[in-house]
Amino acid sequence: MDPLTEALLMFAGRRDHLLEVIEPALARGDVVLCDRFTDATFAYQGFGREFDCVALQSLESLVQRTPSLPAPKIRQPDVTLWFDVDPAVAASRLAGVRVPDRFEAQPQEFFARVSKGYAWRMQQYRARFARINAEQGLEKVWQEVEAALRQRGFLP
Amino acid sequence: MDPLTEALLMFAGRRDHLLEVIEPALARGDVVLCDRFTDATFAYQGFGREFDCVALQSLESLVQRTPSLPAPKIRQPDVTLWFDVDPAVAASRLAGVRVPDRFEAQPQEFFARVSKGYAWRMQQYRARFARINAEQGLEKVWQEVEAALRQRGFLP
């Protein structure tokens, strides 16, 4: 599929998710936890598929505008946890669990680019981005997550 | 549905159509005839649903870029035939043919705005836009179409 067609479909899904699920939840005062958000779009479409990041930025600022924030502010996560793991380690972990989907089935060079995409976003959004070393065991990973949330005032 | 979600889905469809159908046909030297294109998006989403035309313009220039044209040129029709007809006449004609879809089922004020949308686009693209008085009979309508094509060099 053409990467822009794919990006438009993803952003249509994101817009729907934002207005139908996330904004109402935030309005109720709920905590919203997303598996992936637009940082993943930059990592996978922008860097992984080497698609124009300027086009993605213009879609991001269009789609993440919301009536609950004064323009030009857009909805962004308060915290982004980047679970960074070597593609080979990720592949071997995944192999034990399920058949890879069409993103997961990409070659390892793809995931090396994806990782650079997350690093690029982290440079732009230092305050909310926490890189977690996800090659460690579960307990250590959790400790890093807790530390990242505590540091940003989301845990006592 | 949120108008931006709808617009993103439409532009995803347009992108796919452009790359998979239109560009290959143009490359073969075929004549491409589309029932609707982006002018209709401005008329229906922009004016009909009163959605931000600046956002639509940024989607248009993103989606209609094509490898076959040097940037910042974008793919546009050579001729746009606007079959202008009073909403009441259109409704009575349609009633004899089929059940209206979710656009066709809108109230007449909606179609009055749609018409303004086409007029707005026509002001920006005078050279390619031909307004056809479609309230006339079939023969007269066809004569206007022929004249519009002849005037632009597409008929001898």
Side-chain angles (χ1 to χ4, degrees):
Chain A
M1 194 188 290
D2 170 63
L4 178 55
T5 308
E6 183 176 89
L8 289 164
L9 290 173
M10 295 225 153
F11 276 107
R14 183 147 303 137
R15 178 72 183 171
D16 190 62
H17 187 225
L18 183 67
L19 293 191
E20 300 298 322
V21 179
I22 297 176
E23 291 295 331
L26 293 176
R28 285 193 306 267
D30 289 356
V31 169
V32 175
L33 188 64
C34 290
D35 188 0
R36 296 184 192 284
F37 206 63
T38 304
D39 298 314
T41 305
F42 281 89
Y44 282 79
Q45 273 70 50
F47 280 69
R49 296 215 193 277
E50 298 177 302
F51 178 64
D52 180 5
C53 283
V54 175
L56 293 182
Q57 277 168 324
S58 81
L59 286 170
E60 177 185 37
S61 50
L62 209 56
V63 164
Q64 289 167 222
R65 264 187 233 157
T66 149
S68 60
L69 293 172
K73 268 200 95 175
I74 62 168
R75 181 63 70 196
Q76 290 287 21
D78 295 312
V79 186
T80 297
L81 300 169
W82 170 23
F83 292 95
D84 193 19
V85 57
D86 183 80
V89 175
S92 80
R93 284 182 184 169
L94 188 67
V97 184
R98 62 186 151 96
V99 177
D101 68 24
R102 74 194 186 90
F103 287 112
E104 294 162 353
Q106 296 287 326
Q108 290 197 10
E109 308 85 78
F110 177 85
F111 292 104
R113 291 198 302 272
V114 167
S115 182
K116 279 190 191 138
Y118 282 117
W120 181 74
R121 288 287 281 185
M122 185 163 168
Q123 279 184 345
Q124 290 170 67
Y125 298 100
R126 286 238 165 252
R128 70 170 161 90
F129 242 94
R131 185 190 160 279
I132 307 292
N133 177 0
E135 288 185 26
Q136 308 171 99
L138 204 55
E139 189 58 36
K140 284 259 185 172
V141 167
W142 176 240
Q143 280 167 17
E144 284 198 20
V145 169
E146 276 192 317
L149 294 176
R150 192 166 292 120
Q151 202 189 323
R152 285 163 185 80
F154 293 98
L155 276 181
Chain B
M1 195 189 289
D2 170 64
L4 178 54
T5 307
E6 183 176 87
L8 290 164
L9 290 173
M10 295 226 153
F11 275 107
R14 183 147 302 137
R15 178 72 183 172
D16 190 62
H17 187 225
L18 183 68
L19 294 191
E20 301 297 322
V21 180
I22 296 175
E23 292 294 330
L26 293 175
R28 285 192 308 268
D30 290 356
V31 169
V32 175
L33 187 64
C34 290
D35 187 0
R36 297 184 192 282
F37 205 64
T38 305
D39 298 314
T41 305
F42 281 88
Y44 283 78
Q45 274 70 49
F47 280 69
R49 296 214 193 277
E50 300 178 298
F51 178 64
D52 179 7
C53 283
V54 175
L56 294 181
Q57 277 169 326
S58 81
L59 286 169
E60 177 184 37
S61 50
L62 209 57
V63 163
Q64 289 168 222
R65 265 188 232 158
T66 148
S68 60
L69 293 173
K73 267 199 95 175
I74 63 168
R75 181 63 71 197
Q76 289 288 20
D78 295 312
V79 185
T80 297
L81 300 169
W82 169 26
F83 293 95
D84 193 18
V85 57
D86 183 79
V89 175
S92 80
R93 285 183 184 168
L94 188 69
V97 185
R98 61 185 152 95
V99 176
D101 69 23
R102 71 192 189 90
F103 288 112
E104 294 162 351
Q106 296 287 326
Q108 291 196 11
E109 306 87 76
F110 176 85
F111 293 104
R113 291 197 302 271
V114 168
S115 183
K116 280 191 191 139
Y118 282 117
W120 181 74
R121 288 287 281 185
M122 185 163 168
Q123 279 185 345
Q124 291 171 67
Y125 299 99
R126 285 237 165 252
R128 69 170 162 90
F129 241 94
R131 184 190 161 278
I132 308 292
N133 177 359
E135 288 185 26
Q136 307 171 101
L138 203 55
E139 190 57 36
K140 285 262 185 166
V141 168
W142 176 239
Q143 281 168 18
E144 285 198 20
V145 169
E146 276 192 317
L149 295 176
R150 192 166 293 120
Q151 201 189 326
R152 287 164 184 80
F154 293 99
L155 277 181

PDB file of all heavy atoms in Angstrom, chain B residues 50-72:
ATOM      1  N   GLU B  50     -19.717  22.344   6.504  1.00  0.00           N
ATOM      2  CA  GLU B  50     -19.059  23.515   7.107  1.00  0.00           C
ATOM      3  C   GLU B  50     -17.760  23.161   7.821  1.00  0.00           C
ATOM      4  O   GLU B  50     -17.472  23.632   8.916  1.00  0.00           O
ATOM      5  CB  GLU B  50     -20.041  24.268   8.022  1.00  0.00           C
ATOM      6  CG  GLU B  50     -21.256  24.754   7.217  1.00  0.00           C
ATOM      7  CD  GLU B  50     -22.322  25.463   8.040  1.00  0.00           C
ATOM      8  OE1 GLU B  50     -22.879  24.803   8.933  1.00  0.00           O
ATOM      9  OE2 GLU B  50     -22.579  26.642   7.780  1.00  0.00           O
ATOM     10  N   PHE B  51     -16.969  22.330   7.167  1.00  0.00           N
ATOM     11  CA  PHE B  51     -15.686  21.937   7.726  1.00  0.00           C
ATOM     12  C   PHE B  51     -14.591  22.840   7.167  1.00  0.00           C
ATOM     13  O   PHE B  51     -14.669  23.335   6.038  1.00  0.00           O
ATOM     14  CB  PHE B  51     -15.409  20.462   7.388  1.00  0.00           C
ATOM     15  CG  PHE B  51     -14.081  19.993   7.900  1.00  0.00           C
ATOM     16  CD1 PHE B  51     -13.835  19.949   9.257  1.00  0.00           C
ATOM     17  CD2 PHE B  51     -13.079  19.610   7.020  1.00  0.00           C
ATOM     18  CE1 PHE B  51     -12.605  19.535   9.737  1.00  0.00           C
ATOM     19  CE2 PHE B  51     -11.840  19.195   7.488  1.00  0.00           C
ATOM     20  CZ  PHE B  51     -11.605  19.152   8.846  1.00  0.00           C
ATOM     21  N   ASP B  52     -13.566  23.045   7.962  1.00  0.00           N
ATOM     22  CA  ASP B  52     -12.411  23.898   7.696  1.00  0.00           C
ATOM     23  C   ASP B  52     -11.790  23.673   6.297  1.00  0.00           C
ATOM     24  O   ASP B  52     -11.131  22.665   6.052  1.00  0.00           O
ATOM     25  CB  ASP B  52     -11.393  23.590   8.806  1.00  0.00           C
ATOM     26  CG  ASP B  52     -10.098  24.377   8.685  1.00  0.00           C
ATOM     27  OD1 ASP B  52     -10.023  25.265   7.824  1.00  0.00           O
ATOM     28  OD2 ASP B  52      -9.187  24.093   9.477  1.00  0.00           O
ATOM     29  N   CYS B  53     -11.975  24.637   5.403  1.00  0.00           N
ATOM     30  CA  CYS B  53     -11.437  24.488   4.037  1.00  0.00           C
ATOM     31  C   CYS B  53      -9.913  24.566   3.984  1.00  0.00           C
ATOM     32  O   CYS B  53      -9.298  24.026   3.062  1.00  0.00           O
ATOM     33  CB  CYS B  53     -12.045  25.524   3.096  1.00  0.00           C
ATOM     34  SG  CYS B  53     -13.731  25.090   2.610  1.00  0.00           S
ATOM     35  N   VAL B  54      -9.305  25.210   4.966  1.00  0.00           N
ATOM     36  CA  VAL B  54      -7.835  25.263   5.005  1.00  0.00           C
ATOM     37  C   VAL B  54      -7.274  23.855   5.252  1.00  0.00           C
ATOM     38  O   VAL B  54      -6.288  23.441   4.633  1.00  0.00           O
ATOM     39  CB  VAL B  54      -7.346  26.266   6.083  1.00  0.00           C
ATOM     40  CG1 VAL B  54      -5.829  26.234   6.204  1.00  0.00           C
ATOM     41  CG2 VAL B  54      -7.820  27.671   5.730  1.00  0.00           C
ATOM     42  N   ALA B  55      -7.925  23.124   6.133  1.00  0.00           N
ATOM     43  CA  ALA B  55      -7.514  21.736   6.397  1.00  0.00           C
ATOM     44  C   ALA B  55      -7.684  20.892   5.128  1.00  0.00           C
ATOM     45  O   ALA B  55      -6.806  20.097   4.775  1.00  0.00           O
ATOM     46  CB  ALA B  55      -8.336  21.143   7.537  1.00  0.00           C
ATOM     47  N   LEU B  56      -8.787  21.100   4.417  1.00  0.00           N
ATOM     48  CA  LEU B  56      -9.003  20.354   3.165  1.00  0.00           C
ATOM     49  C   LEU B  56      -7.937  20.705   2.137  1.00  0.00           C
ATOM     50  O   LEU B  56      -7.444  19.832   1.417  1.00  0.00           O
ATOM     51  CB  LEU B  56     -10.398  20.642   2.593  1.00  0.00           C
ATOM     52  CG  LEU B  56     -11.587  20.143   3.416  1.00  0.00           C
ATOM     53  CD1 LEU B  56     -12.897  20.480   2.710  1.00  0.00           C
ATOM     54  CD2 LEU B  56     -11.498  18.639   3.663  1.00  0.00           C
ATOM     55  N   GLN B  57      -7.569  21.989   2.075  1.00  0.00           N
ATOM     56  CA  GLN B  57      -6.531  22.388   1.118  1.00  0.00           C
ATOM     57  C   GLN B  57      -5.197  21.733   1.443  1.00  0.00           C
ATOM     58  O   GLN B  57      -4.466  21.337   0.532  1.00  0.00           O
ATOM     59  CB  GLN B  57      -6.386  23.906   1.092  1.00  0.00           C
ATOM     60  CG  GLN B  57      -7.430  24.550   0.182  1.00  0.00           C
ATOM     61  CD  GLN B  57      -7.519  26.060   0.317  1.00  0.00           C
ATOM     62  OE1 GLN B  57      -7.336  26.607   1.411  1.00  0.00           O
ATOM     63  NE2 GLN B  57      -7.827  26.736  -0.762  1.00  0.00           N
ATOM     64  N   SER B  58      -4.902  21.583   2.727  1.00  0.00           N
ATOM     65  CA  SER B  58      -3.612  20.962   3.043  1.00  0.00           C
ATOM     66  C   SER B  58      -3.666  19.460   2.717  1.00  0.00           C
ATOM     67  O   SER B  58      -2.675  18.891   2.239  1.00  0.00           O
ATOM     68  CB  SER B  58      -3.168  21.274   4.476  1.00  0.00           C
ATOM     69  OG  SER B  58      -3.789  20.444   5.387  1.00  0.00           O
ATOM     70  N   LEU B  59      -4.821  18.832   2.900  1.00  0.00           N
ATOM     71  CA  LEU B  59      -4.966  17.423   2.496  1.00  0.00           C
ATOM     72  C   LEU B  59      -4.887  17.286   0.972  1.00  0.00           C
ATOM     73  O   LEU B  59      -4.230  16.371   0.455  1.00  0.00           O
ATOM     74  CB  LEU B  59      -6.281  16.845   3.009  1.00  0.00           C
ATOM     75  CG  LEU B  59      -6.321  16.543   4.512  1.00  0.00           C
ATOM     76  CD1 LEU B  59      -7.743  16.222   4.973  1.00  0.00           C
ATOM     77  CD2 LEU B  59      -5.388  15.378   4.851  1.00  0.00           C
ATOM     78  N   GLU B  60      -5.545  18.199   0.277  1.00  0.00           N
ATOM     79  CA  GLU B  60      -5.506  18.155  -1.188  1.00  0.00           C
ATOM     80  C   GLU B  60      -4.073  18.233  -1.714  1.00  0.00           C
ATOM     81  O   GLU B  60      -3.670  17.448  -2.582  1.00  0.00           O
ATOM     82  CB  GLU B  60      -6.329  19.319  -1.755  1.00  0.00           C
ATOM     83  CG  GLU B  60      -6.301  19.427  -3.272  1.00  0.00           C
ATOM     84  CD  GLU B  60      -7.041  20.653  -3.797  1.00  0.00           C
ATOM     85  OE1 GLU B  60      -6.982  21.727  -3.153  1.00  0.00           O
ATOM     86  OE2 GLU B  60      -7.689  20.537  -4.859  1.00  0.00           O
ATOM     87  N   SER B  61      -3.285  19.170  -1.163  1.00  0.00           N
ATOM     88  CA  SER B  61      -1.942  19.328  -1.737  1.00  0.00           C
ATOM     89  C   SER B  61      -1.024  18.177  -1.332  1.00  0.00           C
ATOM     90  O   SER B  61      -0.065  17.864  -2.026  1.00  0.00           O
ATOM     91  CB  SER B  61      -1.343  20.695  -1.410  1.00  0.00           C
ATOM     92  OG  SER B  61      -1.444  20.955  -0.054  1.00  0.00           O
ATOM     93  N   LEU B  62      -1.352  17.525  -0.234  1.00  0.00           N
ATOM     94  CA  LEU B  62      -0.594  16.334   0.186  1.00  0.00           C
ATOM     95  C   LEU B  62      -0.929  15.153  -0.721  1.00  0.00           C
ATOM     96  O   LEU B  62      -0.049  14.471  -1.248  1.00  0.00           O
ATOM     97  CB  LEU B  62      -1.027  16.006   1.616  1.00  0.00           C
ATOM     98  CG  LEU B  62      -0.069  15.332   2.572  1.00  0.00           C
ATOM     99  CD1 LEU B  62       1.199  16.122   2.726  1.00  0.00           C
ATOM    100  CD2 LEU B  62      -0.759  15.188   3.937  1.00  0.00           C
ATOM    101  N   VAL B  63      -2.226  14.923  -0.904  1.00  0.00           N
ATOM    102  CA  VAL B  63      -2.719  13.693  -1.544  1.00  0.00           C
ATOM    103  C   VAL B  63      -2.554  13.734  -3.063  1.00  0.00           C
ATOM    104  O   VAL B  63      -2.304  12.713  -3.691  1.00  0.00           O
ATOM    105  CB  VAL B  63      -4.196  13.479  -1.143  1.00  0.00           C
ATOM    106  CG1 VAL B  63      -4.894  12.497  -2.047  1.00  0.00           C
ATOM    107  CG2 VAL B  63      -4.256  13.015   0.313  1.00  0.00           C
ATOM    108  N   GLN B  64      -2.649  14.907  -3.662  1.00  0.00           N
ATOM    109  CA  GLN B  64      -2.616  14.998  -5.117  1.00  0.00           C
ATOM    110  C   GLN B  64      -1.213  15.268  -5.685  1.00  0.00           C
ATOM    111  O   GLN B  64      -1.066  15.432  -6.892  1.00  0.00           O
ATOM    112  CB  GLN B  64      -3.663  15.999  -5.604  1.00  0.00           C
ATOM    113  CG  GLN B  64      -5.064  15.417  -5.404  1.00  0.00           C
ATOM    114  CD  GLN B  64      -6.199  16.389  -5.572  1.00  0.00           C
ATOM    115  OE1 GLN B  64      -7.154  16.373  -4.790  1.00  0.00           O
ATOM    116  NE2 GLN B  64      -6.130  17.241  -6.556  1.00  0.00           N
ATOM    117  N   ARG B  65      -0.231  15.273  -4.804  1.00  0.00           N
ATOM    118  CA  ARG B  65       1.144  15.204  -5.275  1.00  0.00           C
ATOM    119  C   ARG B  65       1.337  13.834  -5.911  1.00  0.00           C
ATOM    120  O   ARG B  65       0.881  12.835  -5.378  1.00  0.00           O
ATOM    121  CB  ARG B  65       2.105  15.254  -4.081  1.00  0.00           C
ATOM    122  CG  ARG B  65       2.636  16.602  -3.752  1.00  0.00           C
ATOM    123  CD  ARG B  65       3.715  16.435  -2.689  1.00  0.00           C
ATOM    124  NE  ARG B  65       3.466  17.298  -1.552  1.00  0.00           N
ATOM    125  CZ  ARG B  65       3.945  17.095  -0.330  1.00  0.00           C
ATOM    126  NH1 ARG B  65       4.668  16.018  -0.066  1.00  0.00           N
ATOM    127  NH2 ARG B  65       3.699  17.944   0.631  1.00  0.00           N
ATOM    128  N   THR B  66       2.048  13.802  -7.013  1.00  0.00           N
ATOM    129  CA  THR B  66       2.292  12.511  -7.645  1.00  0.00           C
ATOM    130  C   THR B  66       3.692  12.496  -8.238  1.00  0.00           C
ATOM    131  O   THR B  66       4.193  13.556  -8.653  1.00  0.00           O
ATOM    132  CB  THR B  66       1.210  12.212  -8.723  1.00  0.00           C
ATOM    133  OG1 THR B  66       1.799  11.443  -9.766  1.00  0.00           O
ATOM    134  CG2 THR B  66       0.663  13.478  -9.338  1.00  0.00           C
ATOM    135  N   PRO B  67       4.347  11.349  -8.244  1.00  0.00           N
ATOM    136  CA  PRO B  67       5.714  11.269  -8.777  1.00  0.00           C
ATOM    137  C   PRO B  67       5.807  11.736 -10.230  1.00  0.00           C
ATOM    138  O   PRO B  67       6.885  12.135 -10.674  1.00  0.00           O
ATOM    139  CB  PRO B  67       6.045   9.773  -8.689  1.00  0.00           C
ATOM    140  CG  PRO B  67       5.096   9.202  -7.696  1.00  0.00           C
ATOM    141  CD  PRO B  67       3.858  10.046  -7.757  1.00  0.00           C
ATOM    142  N   SER B  68       4.674  11.740 -10.962  1.00  0.00           N
ATOM    143  CA  SER B  68       4.729  12.114 -12.384  1.00  0.00           C
ATOM    144  C   SER B  68       4.719  13.625 -12.610  1.00  0.00           C
ATOM    145  O   SER B  68       4.842  14.084 -13.737  1.00  0.00           O
ATOM    146  CB  SER B  68       3.562  11.468 -13.133  1.00  0.00           C
ATOM    147  OG  SER B  68       2.338  11.909 -12.589  1.00  0.00           O
ATOM    148  N   LEU B  69       4.551  14.413 -11.549  1.00  0.00           N
ATOM    149  CA  LEU B  69       4.564  15.875 -11.682  1.00  0.00           C
ATOM    150  C   LEU B  69       5.629  16.469 -10.767  1.00  0.00           C
ATOM    151  O   LEU B  69       5.758  16.036  -9.614  1.00  0.00           O
ATOM    152  CB  LEU B  69       3.201  16.466 -11.290  1.00  0.00           C
ATOM    153  CG  LEU B  69       2.000  16.157 -12.188  1.00  0.00           C
ATOM    154  CD1 LEU B  69       0.724  16.680 -11.537  1.00  0.00           C
ATOM    155  CD2 LEU B  69       2.187  16.783 -13.562  1.00  0.00           C
ATOM    156  N   PRO B  70       6.386  17.486 -11.251  1.00  0.00           N
ATOM    157  CA  PRO B  70       7.381  18.114 -10.384  1.00  0.00           C
ATOM    158  C   PRO B  70       6.690  18.919  -9.280  1.00  0.00           C
ATOM    159  O   PRO B  70       5.752  19.669  -9.567  1.00  0.00           O
ATOM    160  CB  PRO B  70       8.135  19.042 -11.345  1.00  0.00           C
ATOM    161  CG  PRO B  70       7.185  19.318 -12.464  1.00  0.00           C
ATOM    162  CD  PRO B  70       6.310  18.107 -12.595  1.00  0.00           C
ATOM    163  N   ALA B  71       7.116  18.735  -8.010  1.00  0.00           N
ATOM    164  CA  ALA B  71       6.563  19.528  -6.901  1.00  0.00           C
ATOM    165  C   ALA B  71       6.832  21.001  -7.170  1.00  0.00           C
ATOM    166  O   ALA B  71       7.851  21.325  -7.794  1.00  0.00           O
ATOM    167  CB  ALA B  71       7.195  19.096  -5.584  1.00  0.00           C
ATOM    168  N   PRO B  72       6.006  21.967  -6.739  1.00  0.00           N
ATOM    169  CA  PRO B  72       4.804  21.754  -5.935  1.00  0.00           C
ATOM    170  C   PRO B  72       3.542  21.537  -6.780  1.00  0.00           C
ATOM    171  O   PRO B  72       2.455  21.701  -6.235  1.00  0.00           O
ATOM    172  CB  PRO B  72       4.716  23.071  -5.150  1.00  0.00           C
ATOM    173  CG  PRO B  72       5.221  24.106  -6.113  1.00  0.00           C
ATOM    174  CD  PRO B  72       6.251  23.399  -6.962  1.00  0.00           C
TER     175      PRO B  72
END
